Amino acid sequence: MDMQLDPAGDDLPLMANTSHILVKHYVLDLDVDFESQVIEGTIVLFLEDGDRFKKQNRSVEEACQSESNKGCKLGMPEPCHVPVTNAMTFSSEMEYNDCAICSKGEKDTSDKDGNHDNQEHAAGISSSKRCCDTGNHGSEEFLLVLDCCDLSVLKVEEVDVAAVPGMGKFTRSPELTVVSEELRNQIVRELVTWPANRWREQLDYYARCSQAAGCGELLFDTDTWSLQIRKTGAQTATDFPHAIRIWYKTKPEGRSVTWTSDQSGRPCVYTVGSPVNNRALFPCQEPPVAMSTWQATVRAAASFVVLMSGENSAKPTQLWEGCSSWYYYVTMPMPASTFTIAVGCWTEVKMEPCSSGDSATETPFSPPEADFRHVGVCSHMEYPCRFQNASATTQQIIPHRVFAPVCLTGACQETLLQLIPPCLSAAHSVLGTHPFSRLDVLIVPANFPSLGMARPNKDKTGHTSDSGASVIKHGLNPEKSFMQVHYLKGYFLLRFLAERLGDETYFSFLRKFVHAFHGQLILSQDFLQMLLENIPEEKRLELSVENIYQDWLESSGIPKPLQRERRAGAECGLARQVRAEVTKWIRVNRRPRKRKRREREAVFEKLLPDQLVLLLEHLLEQKTLSHRTLQSLQRTYHLQDQDAEVRHRWCELIVKHKFTKAYESVERFLQEDQAMGVYLYGELMVSEDARQQQLARRCFERTREQMDRSSAQVVADMLF
């Protein structure tokens, strides 16, 4: 590699040489073993070399230049049309990496509402335990470099796609009659560029190719952050095999998956939004510009449910007694970091039958390939896009499923199931077509690191080498997950823009923006530039990309526009109501313990959850609150039963005023709301109260083995 990186530092290396070669599609085949806490199998990568996708990008640029007067400009309603074979309008393309054990054939069937079940046929395959020679075979050989850590790579081999029956249709050159590297690579090149309306047939051929025999082991080596693969004699990406199979297994301590228990005490595992994303789940190309599609077969004990970020609502297929298989796929190219998996003893929560007819609110849905027509022209790389499906554009509520631990099914049935349809309908009314055909909602375990989900993952956050390798600055610093200032400022920036422009103008723009940029990688300047180009001059009020960046992104502290909004917000009716209640509580707190008989009890108003948060924040500013007042607060608002935001402020009050009778609420919060609890550990330790510090250490000892690794490290640094 031509970059010198320090793996022990805070920067996260992105090692994949995406400028030379890209992954178009992954076929995974995995076995989940809860006893050993290992996910094992194979992954088949279908590759495209740099020469081909660079030519495609040039053709896209030329097409845009030739149509520059017809709507190619950013933000125009009719972006230039990209032909079927063109890959991408933004820099490079594809990527997705996963594991597959090429041992099964998957056949997918589609039901009438567009949710696709799966049927599979088992065929055993044994893993090779022999690693290839990793010696130096000359620097002139081409290296495929994948982002990888915490994995045991067992074997890498080329896949003989030419041996798959029916692959002759992918060979255009009559002279290629002898099976060769050139023939196999040509087959892959043709397969990965099939038109979107043949996506189901394409997935079938991917599955067949993934089951083909190997035709030669490849040399590989691993280091802390990468897997490097070479073939003797292949000096360029064009010469390198375009279909390879990697045999590997995860490690129990791997940073991309968390093995834990759900709220019912049953074992489960899920992908975690960690600094390393999915590279400890499968070898991958980490930079977001490397987008790809995938299909996956996952086997687990029959008592487990396998959920994935696929487009089909998979159902289990029994392979043999005690073992089931699940099959998912994705036809929209996406970054590897968006791949998710969760396996556990979840229960699907369904709406109870009712006679009112309320359950029949979902709009009928036709499969992606049905009624496929150009409703509009898209600017993304080609895939079976729902924005071009006339039926999908009017579908307000997409099919959805809810899964939860057994102990939470009642609460989900009572509350969550009622909320999803109106939320989906509201999203459609504001943003337009749902980009995905269905939705699975999972109630995750208490240790899910929710505050680390949106960790920045850009490929140009540091120096980028000619190969495409780069670093994410401070990407490995565990404290970065809990620095939420940039997220909060982003939220308030959007609020500021909505208020400045008016809801009608702002939401109309959002809908247009989603339609223009769906299926593409975007930057904040793309959003701001299009916003300013699509609003009337009189509403811009001296707004520009430059001054927005300066006020909101490049300056520390609270932006001036937000300070003005904050002062104005303090005058709203809900805030005035809270201030009135705060005054009552301060008055109650000042009363002597023994009151006169004629003195009436204070009557407190019912407050919304957001108002409760504001109330408790105001009370946190009080130097002292008596335990009698705190007990009355708890009783009045049933604080122990409120949402996590309210309970977090309540716990802060308990800690600040050493309200020992409510320490049980603090312990419960630290165990059940572990992501938010990190801040509370800090409050307990800063107090320098021996009992509170003992409470913090006791809770940490109970939960540290199940906590997210970054969270556990941050808390350990506080406590010891």
PDB file of all heavy atoms in Angstrom, residues 50 65 144 186 232 243 252 272 301 308 347 359 363 449 498 514 529 538 557 567 604 628 633 690 699 709:
ATOM      1  N   GLY A  50     -11.309  -1.491 -12.815  1.00  0.00           N
ATOM      2  CA  GLY A  50     -11.311  -0.035 -12.925  1.00  0.00           C
ATOM      3  C   GLY A  50     -11.473   0.483 -14.327  1.00  0.00           C
ATOM      4  O   GLY A  50     -12.151   1.480 -14.559  1.00  0.00           O
ATOM      5  N   GLN A  65     -22.905  16.416 -20.072  1.00  0.00           N
ATOM      6  CA  GLN A  65     -22.438  17.612 -20.760  1.00  0.00           C
ATOM      7  C   GLN A  65     -23.265  17.884 -22.006  1.00  0.00           C
ATOM      8  O   GLN A  65     -23.627  19.009 -22.309  1.00  0.00           O
ATOM      9  CB  GLN A  65     -20.957  17.451 -21.123  1.00  0.00           C
ATOM     10  CG  GLN A  65     -20.041  17.487 -19.900  1.00  0.00           C
ATOM     11  CD  GLN A  65     -18.612  17.140 -20.247  1.00  0.00           C
ATOM     12  OE1 GLN A  65     -18.289  16.900 -21.412  1.00  0.00           O
ATOM     13  NE2 GLN A  65     -17.754  17.103 -19.242  1.00  0.00           N
ATOM     14  N   LEU A 144      -5.986  -7.282  -4.820  1.00  0.00           N
ATOM     15  CA  LEU A 144      -7.324  -6.859  -4.419  1.00  0.00           C
ATOM     16  C   LEU A 144      -7.272  -6.639  -2.912  1.00  0.00           C
ATOM     17  O   LEU A 144      -6.985  -7.570  -2.147  1.00  0.00           O
ATOM     18  CB  LEU A 144      -8.358  -7.933  -4.755  1.00  0.00           C
ATOM     19  CG  LEU A 144      -9.753  -7.739  -4.115  1.00  0.00           C
ATOM     20  CD1 LEU A 144     -10.413  -6.466  -4.609  1.00  0.00           C
ATOM     21  CD2 LEU A 144     -10.646  -8.949  -4.373  1.00  0.00           C
ATOM     22  N   GLN A 186     -15.351 -12.168 -18.782  1.00  0.00           N
ATOM     23  CA  GLN A 186     -16.352 -11.613 -19.683  1.00  0.00           C
ATOM     24  C   GLN A 186     -17.749 -12.000 -19.233  1.00  0.00           C
ATOM     25  O   GLN A 186     -18.686 -11.205 -19.298  1.00  0.00           O
ATOM     26  CB  GLN A 186     -16.130 -12.092 -21.120  1.00  0.00           C
ATOM     27  CG  GLN A 186     -17.157 -11.507 -22.095  1.00  0.00           C
ATOM     28  CD  GLN A 186     -16.919 -11.953 -23.520  1.00  0.00           C
ATOM     29  OE1 GLN A 186     -15.811 -11.830 -24.029  1.00  0.00           O
ATOM     30  NE2 GLN A 186     -17.956 -12.478 -24.161  1.00  0.00           N
ATOM     31  N   THR A 232      -1.197 -15.293  -9.049  1.00  0.00           N
ATOM     32  CA  THR A 232       0.096 -15.326  -9.733  1.00  0.00           C
ATOM     33  C   THR A 232      -0.102 -15.055 -11.226  1.00  0.00           C
ATOM     34  O   THR A 232      -0.912 -15.692 -11.890  1.00  0.00           O
ATOM     35  CB  THR A 232       0.771 -16.690  -9.543  1.00  0.00           C
ATOM     36  OG1 THR A 232       0.921 -16.952  -8.138  1.00  0.00           O
ATOM     37  CG2 THR A 232       2.133 -16.718 -10.222  1.00  0.00           C
ATOM     38  N   ALA A 243     -14.707 -13.212 -10.225  1.00  0.00           N
ATOM     39  CA  ALA A 243     -15.594 -13.919  -9.293  1.00  0.00           C
ATOM     40  C   ALA A 243     -14.721 -14.732  -8.350  1.00  0.00           C
ATOM     41  O   ALA A 243     -14.024 -15.657  -8.779  1.00  0.00           O
ATOM     42  CB  ALA A 243     -16.571 -14.821 -10.040  1.00  0.00           C
ATOM     43  N   PRO A 252     -15.671 -14.226  18.209  1.00  0.00           N
ATOM     44  CA  PRO A 252     -16.634 -13.800  19.226  1.00  0.00           C
ATOM     45  C   PRO A 252     -16.434 -12.352  19.670  1.00  0.00           C
ATOM     46  O   PRO A 252     -17.397 -11.661  19.988  1.00  0.00           O
ATOM     47  CB  PRO A 252     -16.383 -14.777  20.383  1.00  0.00           C
ATOM     48  CG  PRO A 252     -15.811 -15.991  19.723  1.00  0.00           C
ATOM     49  CD  PRO A 252     -14.984 -15.478  18.578  1.00  0.00           C
ATOM     50  N   VAL A 272     -23.771  -4.134  14.846  1.00  0.00           N
ATOM     51  CA  VAL A 272     -23.706  -2.947  15.692  1.00  0.00           C
ATOM     52  C   VAL A 272     -23.139  -1.783  14.891  1.00  0.00           C
ATOM     53  O   VAL A 272     -22.263  -1.964  14.046  1.00  0.00           O
ATOM     54  CB  VAL A 272     -22.843  -3.250  16.940  1.00  0.00           C
ATOM     55  CG1 VAL A 272     -21.471  -3.735  16.531  1.00  0.00           C
ATOM     56  CG2 VAL A 272     -22.709  -2.037  17.840  1.00  0.00           C
ATOM     57  N   ALA A 301     -30.509 -22.260  14.207  1.00  0.00           N
ATOM     58  CA  ALA A 301     -31.422 -23.207  14.852  1.00  0.00           C
ATOM     59  C   ALA A 301     -32.862 -22.775  14.608  1.00  0.00           C
ATOM     60  O   ALA A 301     -33.165 -21.578  14.507  1.00  0.00           O
ATOM     61  CB  ALA A 301     -31.125 -23.281  16.349  1.00  0.00           C
ATOM     62  N   MET A 308     -32.907  -9.327   8.255  1.00  0.00           N
ATOM     63  CA  MET A 308     -31.838  -8.649   7.531  1.00  0.00           C
ATOM     64  C   MET A 308     -32.407  -7.450   6.787  1.00  0.00           C
ATOM     65  O   MET A 308     -33.619  -7.334   6.593  1.00  0.00           O
ATOM     66  CB  MET A 308     -31.153  -9.604   6.546  1.00  0.00           C
ATOM     67  CG  MET A 308     -30.477 -10.791   7.197  1.00  0.00           C
ATOM     68  SD  MET A 308     -29.657 -11.880   6.007  1.00  0.00           S
ATOM     69  CE  MET A 308     -28.247 -10.868   5.576  1.00  0.00           C
ATOM     70  N   THR A 347     -40.435 -12.703  18.431  1.00  0.00           N
ATOM     71  CA  THR A 347     -41.812 -13.074  18.106  1.00  0.00           C
ATOM     72  C   THR A 347     -42.400 -12.013  17.192  1.00  0.00           C
ATOM     73  O   THR A 347     -42.251 -10.814  17.462  1.00  0.00           O
ATOM     74  CB  THR A 347     -42.670 -13.177  19.386  1.00  0.00           C
ATOM     75  OG1 THR A 347     -42.153 -14.213  20.216  1.00  0.00           O
ATOM     76  CG2 THR A 347     -44.125 -13.484  19.041  1.00  0.00           C
ATOM     77  N   SER A 359     -57.777  -2.564   9.949  1.00  0.00           N
ATOM     78  CA  SER A 359     -56.541  -3.237   9.569  1.00  0.00           C
ATOM     79  C   SER A 359     -56.313  -3.212   8.069  1.00  0.00           C
ATOM     80  O   SER A 359     -55.214  -3.472   7.601  1.00  0.00           O
ATOM     81  CB  SER A 359     -56.568  -4.693  10.049  1.00  0.00           C
ATOM     82  OG  SER A 359     -57.662  -5.372   9.472  1.00  0.00           O
ATOM     83  N   THR A 363     -52.066   0.046   1.226  1.00  0.00           N
ATOM     84  CA  THR A 363     -52.347   0.161  -0.192  1.00  0.00           C
ATOM     85  C   THR A 363     -51.833  -1.072  -0.906  1.00  0.00           C
ATOM     86  O   THR A 363     -50.715  -1.516  -0.654  1.00  0.00           O
ATOM     87  CB  THR A 363     -51.642   1.415  -0.750  1.00  0.00           C
ATOM     88  OG1 THR A 363     -52.047   2.543   0.018  1.00  0.00           O
ATOM     89  CG2 THR A 363     -52.002   1.624  -2.212  1.00  0.00           C
ATOM     90  N   PRO A 449     -26.264   0.173  20.838  1.00  0.00           N
ATOM     91  CA  PRO A 449     -25.601   1.490  20.926  1.00  0.00           C
ATOM     92  C   PRO A 449     -26.254   2.506  20.002  1.00  0.00           C
ATOM     93  O   PRO A 449     -25.697   2.904  18.991  1.00  0.00           O
ATOM     94  CB  PRO A 449     -24.169   1.180  20.498  1.00  0.00           C
ATOM     95  CG  PRO A 449     -24.317   0.050  19.532  1.00  0.00           C
ATOM     96  CD  PRO A 449     -25.489  -0.776  20.029  1.00  0.00           C
ATOM     97  N   ALA A 498     -36.766  25.472   7.914  1.00  0.00           N
ATOM     98  CA  ALA A 498     -38.211  25.299   7.782  1.00  0.00           C
ATOM     99  C   ALA A 498     -38.951  26.541   8.260  1.00  0.00           C
ATOM    100  O   ALA A 498     -39.925  26.989   7.635  1.00  0.00           O
ATOM    101  CB  ALA A 498     -38.664  24.068   8.560  1.00  0.00           C
ATOM    102  N   VAL A 514     -35.719  14.557  -2.511  1.00  0.00           N
ATOM    103  CA  VAL A 514     -35.716  13.099  -2.406  1.00  0.00           C
ATOM    104  C   VAL A 514     -35.889  12.470  -3.783  1.00  0.00           C
ATOM    105  O   VAL A 514     -35.222  11.491  -4.129  1.00  0.00           O
ATOM    106  CB  VAL A 514     -36.826  12.620  -1.444  1.00  0.00           C
ATOM    107  CG1 VAL A 514     -37.011  11.114  -1.536  1.00  0.00           C
ATOM    108  CG2 VAL A 514     -36.497  13.023  -0.012  1.00  0.00           C
ATOM    109  N   GLN A 529     -27.360  23.594  -1.782  1.00  0.00           N
ATOM    110  CA  GLN A 529     -27.336  24.237  -3.086  1.00  0.00           C
ATOM    111  C   GLN A 529     -28.689  24.102  -3.785  1.00  0.00           C
ATOM    112  O   GLN A 529     -29.228  25.073  -4.324  1.00  0.00           O
ATOM    113  CB  GLN A 529     -26.236  23.618  -3.959  1.00  0.00           C
ATOM    114  CG  GLN A 529     -26.054  24.294  -5.316  1.00  0.00           C
ATOM    115  CD  GLN A 529     -25.516  25.703  -5.182  1.00  0.00           C
ATOM    116  OE1 GLN A 529     -24.689  25.969  -4.319  1.00  0.00           O
ATOM    117  NE2 GLN A 529     -25.992  26.607  -6.031  1.00  0.00           N
ATOM    118  N   GLU A 538     -37.226  36.208  -2.785  1.00  0.00           N
ATOM    119  CA  GLU A 538     -37.640  36.985  -1.616  1.00  0.00           C
ATOM    120  C   GLU A 538     -37.560  36.184  -0.322  1.00  0.00           C
ATOM    121  O   GLU A 538     -37.553  36.754   0.773  1.00  0.00           O
ATOM    122  CB  GLU A 538     -39.069  37.508  -1.804  1.00  0.00           C
ATOM    123  CG  GLU A 538     -40.143  36.426  -1.903  1.00  0.00           C
ATOM    124  CD  GLU A 538     -40.364  35.961  -3.340  1.00  0.00           C
ATOM    125  OE1 GLU A 538     -39.518  36.279  -4.206  1.00  0.00           O
ATOM    126  OE2 GLU A 538     -41.377  35.290  -3.590  1.00  0.00           O
ATOM    127  N   GLY A 557     -20.020  26.570  19.276  1.00  0.00           N
ATOM    128  CA  GLY A 557     -21.084  27.149  20.075  1.00  0.00           C
ATOM    129  C   GLY A 557     -22.425  27.156  19.365  1.00  0.00           C
ATOM    130  O   GLY A 557     -22.587  26.615  18.275  1.00  0.00           O
ATOM    131  N   ARG A 567     -34.837  32.247  21.951  1.00  0.00           N
ATOM    132  CA  ARG A 567     -35.530  33.293  22.706  1.00  0.00           C
ATOM    133  C   ARG A 567     -36.998  33.391  22.285  1.00  0.00           C
ATOM    134  O   ARG A 567     -37.890  33.566  23.115  1.00  0.00           O
ATOM    135  CB  ARG A 567     -34.823  34.631  22.497  1.00  0.00           C
ATOM    136  CG  ARG A 567     -33.471  34.717  23.200  1.00  0.00           C
ATOM    137  CD  ARG A 567     -32.959  36.145  23.210  1.00  0.00           C
ATOM    138  NE  ARG A 567     -32.625  36.608  21.862  1.00  0.00           N
ATOM    139  CZ  ARG A 567     -31.415  36.488  21.326  1.00  0.00           C
ATOM    140  NH1 ARG A 567     -30.436  35.924  22.018  1.00  0.00           N
ATOM    141  NH2 ARG A 567     -31.176  36.945  20.115  1.00  0.00           N
ATOM    142  N   PHE A 604     -51.186  20.772  39.856  1.00  0.00           N
ATOM    143  CA  PHE A 604     -50.256  20.785  38.731  1.00  0.00           C
ATOM    144  C   PHE A 604     -50.953  20.322  37.457  1.00  0.00           C
ATOM    145  O   PHE A 604     -51.793  19.420  37.479  1.00  0.00           O
ATOM    146  CB  PHE A 604     -49.056  19.879  39.024  1.00  0.00           C
ATOM    147  CG  PHE A 604     -48.240  20.338  40.196  1.00  0.00           C
ATOM    148  CD1 PHE A 604     -48.376  19.728  41.445  1.00  0.00           C
ATOM    149  CD2 PHE A 604     -47.346  21.384  40.064  1.00  0.00           C
ATOM    150  CE1 PHE A 604     -47.644  20.150  42.523  1.00  0.00           C
ATOM    151  CE2 PHE A 604     -46.597  21.818  41.145  1.00  0.00           C
ATOM    152  CZ  PHE A 604     -46.751  21.202  42.380  1.00  0.00           C
ATOM    153  N   ARG A 628     -38.475  15.672  49.882  1.00  0.00           N
ATOM    154  CA  ARG A 628     -39.938  15.708  49.888  1.00  0.00           C
ATOM    155  C   ARG A 628     -40.462  16.222  48.540  1.00  0.00           C
ATOM    156  O   ARG A 628     -41.421  15.675  47.979  1.00  0.00           O
ATOM    157  CB  ARG A 628     -40.413  16.616  51.031  1.00  0.00           C
ATOM    158  CG  ARG A 628     -41.907  16.872  51.045  1.00  0.00           C
ATOM    159  CD  ARG A 628     -42.291  17.686  52.289  1.00  0.00           C
ATOM    160  NE  ARG A 628     -41.443  18.863  52.438  1.00  0.00           N
ATOM    161  CZ  ARG A 628     -41.667  20.029  51.813  1.00  0.00           C
ATOM    162  NH1 ARG A 628     -42.698  20.149  50.996  1.00  0.00           N
ATOM    163  NH2 ARG A 628     -40.875  21.059  52.031  1.00  0.00           N
ATOM    164  N   LEU A 633     -42.614  15.107  43.038  1.00  0.00           N
ATOM    165  CA  LEU A 633     -42.411  15.142  41.589  1.00  0.00           C
ATOM    166  C   LEU A 633     -42.626  13.760  40.978  1.00  0.00           C
ATOM    167  O   LEU A 633     -43.334  13.592  39.978  1.00  0.00           O
ATOM    168  CB  LEU A 633     -40.990  15.608  41.268  1.00  0.00           C
ATOM    169  CG  LEU A 633     -40.729  17.064  40.896  1.00  0.00           C
ATOM    170  CD1 LEU A 633     -39.228  17.291  40.780  1.00  0.00           C
ATOM    171  CD2 LEU A 633     -41.427  17.430  39.595  1.00  0.00           C
ATOM    172  N   ALA A 690     -19.326   8.593  47.743  1.00  0.00           N
ATOM    173  CA  ALA A 690     -18.892   7.198  47.800  1.00  0.00           C
ATOM    174  C   ALA A 690     -20.023   6.244  47.445  1.00  0.00           C
ATOM    175  O   ALA A 690     -19.825   5.269  46.709  1.00  0.00           O
ATOM    176  CB  ALA A 690     -18.343   6.874  49.185  1.00  0.00           C
ATOM    177  N   CYS A 699     -23.310  -1.315  38.900  1.00  0.00           N
ATOM    178  CA  CYS A 699     -24.090  -1.445  37.664  1.00  0.00           C
ATOM    179  C   CYS A 699     -23.198  -1.801  36.485  1.00  0.00           C
ATOM    180  O   CYS A 699     -23.580  -2.605  35.620  1.00  0.00           O
ATOM    181  CB  CYS A 699     -24.837  -0.138  37.373  1.00  0.00           C
ATOM    182  SG  CYS A 699     -26.202   0.186  38.507  1.00  0.00           S
ATOM    183  N   ARG A 709     -18.905  -2.230  22.914  1.00  0.00           N
ATOM    184  CA  ARG A 709     -17.492  -2.116  23.266  1.00  0.00           C
ATOM    185  C   ARG A 709     -17.056  -0.669  23.474  1.00  0.00           C
ATOM    186  O   ARG A 709     -16.354  -0.341  24.437  1.00  0.00           O
ATOM    187  CB  ARG A 709     -16.635  -2.749  22.178  1.00  0.00           C
ATOM    188  CG  ARG A 709     -15.144  -2.700  22.475  1.00  0.00           C
ATOM    189  CD  ARG A 709     -14.324  -3.474  21.469  1.00  0.00           C
ATOM    190  NE  ARG A 709     -14.700  -4.870  21.469  1.00  0.00           N
ATOM    191  CZ  ARG A 709     -14.007  -5.811  20.828  1.00  0.00           C
ATOM    192  NH1 ARG A 709     -12.934  -5.476  20.140  1.00  0.00           N
ATOM    193  NH2 ARG A 709     -14.395  -7.064  20.865  1.00  0.00           N
TER     194      ARG A 709
END
